[in-house]
Amino acid sequence: MEIPTLIPAAPADFKSGFVALVGRPNVGKSTLLNALVGQKIAITSPTAQTTRNRLQGILTLDHAQIILVDTPGIHKPHHLLGEVLVKNAIGAIGSVDLVVWLVDSSVEFGRGDRFVAEVIKQAGTPVILGLNKIDQVGEQNQNSPQTYTEFTEPLGWQAIKFSALTGEGLTELQQICSDRLPLGPYFYPPDQVTDQPERFIMGELIREQILLLTREEVPHSVAVSIDLVEEQPKLTKIMATIHVERDSQKGIVIGKKGQMLKEIGTKAREQMQKMIMGGVHLELFVKVQPKWRSSRFQLADLGYRFEN
Ligand code: GDP
Ligand code: MG
C-alpha cells in the first residue's frame, strides 16, 4: 500500500479480473472483502450503510489475481447520498467480469434481496450466489438457503455456501471466482491489497468507531477528513476532523467530559497502529457542517465520488 513495486509479467495461463460483491446492506460484503484479502481494508458494523465509496480489495494467488469491488448496499434512496450509493452500485455491476450476489442465508429471501437480484439480472454479468453466514444457520431455518436457490436455479447462477466470519468455505469461493475469470495480466503488484490510499482507510477506521460506539441518530450523518499525517521519529502524528450535521450530534460524539471522543480516539488509534505497524498519536476534532449529506459540493469535498 505504500511504495509501488514493479508489476511482474504474468504466465500465459494466468487469470485476472474484477469481481463485484453485491447485496443488500448488512449481508457481509465488507467482512468478506477483508477475509479474502486477509487484512482490514473495509469497515464493517451491525449498522446498515457502513460502506460509502467503491473500494477495491486485491487478492493475488499463484494462478490468478482477483480484484474485489465492495459496493455500497443497494436500497431505496432517501436523500442525495442514498441516490449516489445506488448509482455507484449499479455502475459497478455492469463493469466487472463476475458478480457475487451476497445474501444472508440465515434469513429468508426477502423483498430487499429480490430488488438486488433484479438489478444484477439486468446488468447481464455472470453471477455466483454467495450464501453467507452459514455459521448462523440454525436448526429452525435449515432450509432457508433454498429460498434463494429457487430464484437462482432457473437463471443458471451457481451457488456456494460460506461464512465470511469463520472463514469456512472461503477457499472454495476463491477457487470458483478465479476459475470464472478470463486470462489476463497482473493489474496490481502482487503484494498490494487495496487501491485506496492509506489516508482514506484511516478516516474509515475512525468512522467505524463512531458507528460502533455512538447512538443510532449519529452514524449516517458522519464524515471524517484526515487533515494531517506526519511521520515523526518515534510515531506517526495524525489529525482528523469528524464532520456532523447538528450540534446535538456533536454533543453525542464528544460525550460527557469528552469521554466518547476519547474512546473513539483510543479504539481508532489501536486499529491504525495495526495498519501501519507503528505508534500513532491521534488528535480528533469535531465540526458541525449542516446538511452535508445533501450538498454535492460538500460531498465531493469530503472525497465521495460521483460516477455518472
Ligand atoms: P455489509 O453491509 O454487507 O458490508 O455487511 P458487513 O460486512 O458490515 O457485516 C454486517 C454484519 O454482519 C457485521 O456485524 C458482521 O460481523 C456480520 N457478519 C458478516 N459476515 C458474517 C458471517 O459469515 N457470519 C456471521 N455470524 N456474521 C457475519
Ligand atoms: Mg459494507
Side-chain angles (χ1 to χ4, degrees):
M1 216 156 60
E2 281 164 335
I3 305 153
T5 48
L6 282 178
I7 301 185
D13 58 351
F14 196 76
K15 292 188 153 196
S16 63
F18 293 77
V19 177
L21 307 177
V22 186
R24 61 177 179 76
N26 257 7
V27 293
K29 297 178 291 297
S30 299
T31 307
L32 179 62
L33 184 71
N34 292 337
L36 287 173
V37 304
Q39 194 175 315
K40 183 157 176 178
I41 56 167
I43 68 169
T44 64
S45 86
T47 322
Q49 298 181 48
T50 309
T51 306
R52 288 208 181 128
N53 264 324
R54 275 176 67 169
L55 170 71
Q56 291 185 359
I58 303 149
L59 169 62
T60 305
L61 308 167
D62 287 341
H63 60 290
Q65 186 169 65
I66 305 170
I67 298 152
L68 299 145
V69 186
D70 184 13
T71 57
I74 302 178
H75 61 97
K76 281 229 171 76
H78 299 300
H79 46 68
L80 183 57
L81 181 56
E83 277 173 38
V84 172
L85 297 182
V86 175
K87 242 190 194 166
N88 286 354
I90 292 171
I93 299 166
S95 61
V96 296
D97 300 293
L98 178 70
V99 171
V100 176
W101 172 35
L102 201 64
V103 300
D104 179 346
S105 64
S106 69
V107 299
E108 295 284 316
F109 181 52
R111 280 200 297 176
D113 296 299
R114 182 176 293 275
F115 178 74
V116 173
E118 294 293 345
V119 169
I120 295 173
K121 213 167 91 181
Q122 281 171 34
T125 308
V127 186
I128 291 170
L129 165 64
L131 295 156
N132 190 29
K133 307 199 187 183
I134 47 161
D135 60 295
Q136 239 177 22
V137 176
E139 292 286 300
Q140 320 91 308
N141 51 11
Q142 200 60 263
N143 293 323
S144 63
Q146 278 170 17
T147 60
Y148 296 97
T149 53
E150 274 163 20
F151 181 91
T152 55
E153 265 165 17
L155 297 167
W157 295 358
Q158 185 179 0
I160 169 167
K161 295 180 187 178
F162 51 82
S163 167
L165 203 65
T166 67
E168 190 186 347
L170 293 188
T171 311
E172 290 83 347
L173 177 64
Q174 282 180 14
Q175 190 58 49
I176 290 174
C177 286
S178 59
D179 285 349
R180 300 278 294 261
L181 290 179
L183 294 173
Y186 284 99
F187 288 103
Y188 290 98
D191 58 352
Q192 190 172 332
V193 294
T194 179
D195 67 325
Q196 289 293 331
E198 222 164 37
R199 272 182 182 233
F200 174 77
I201 296 178
M202 285 172 177
E204 289 291 273
L205 293 175
I206 296 168
R207 209 162 62 80
E208 177 176 52
Q209 290 310 322
I210 302 166
L211 294 177
L212 291 170
L213 295 170
T214 64
R215 276 176 266 155
E216 290 252 308
E217 66 264 36
V218 177
H220 294 173
S221 49
V222 165
V224 175
S225 59
I226 301 292
D227 311 317
L228 175 90
V229 179
E230 195 176 84
E231 281 180 44
Q232 296 177 346
K234 285 199 177 136
L235 44 71
T236 302
K237 184 178 173 185
I238 298 168
M239 284 164 74
T241 305
I242 299 168
H243 304 261
V244 294
E245 282 186 335
R246 291 192 292 272
D247 280 327
S248 58
Q249 296 167 336
K250 182 175 176 178
I252 293 168
V253 170
I254 291 174
K256 256 195 194 137
K257 292 185 183 159
Q259 273 306 312
M260 178 59 82
L261 191 62
K262 199 174 162 196
E263 197 178 345
I264 292 167
T266 306
K267 297 252 167 71
R269 183 168 52 83
E270 284 167 9
Q271 295 282 340
M272 289 173 169
Q273 294 189 148
K274 270 190 218 159
M275 182 177 113
I276 69 168
M277 292 187 284
V280 166
H281 171 77
L282 175 62
E283 273 178 47
L284 290 177
F285 303 90
V286 186
K287 198 168 149 189
V288 180
Q289 206 159 19
K291 295 252 177 287
W292 70 264
R293 268 191 299 178
S294 299
S295 155
R296 272 186 165 239
F297 178 72
Q298 287 189 25
L299 281 177
D301 222 32
L302 292 166
Y304 297 108
R305 291 191 296 261
F306 292 87
E307 292 167 18
N308 289 316

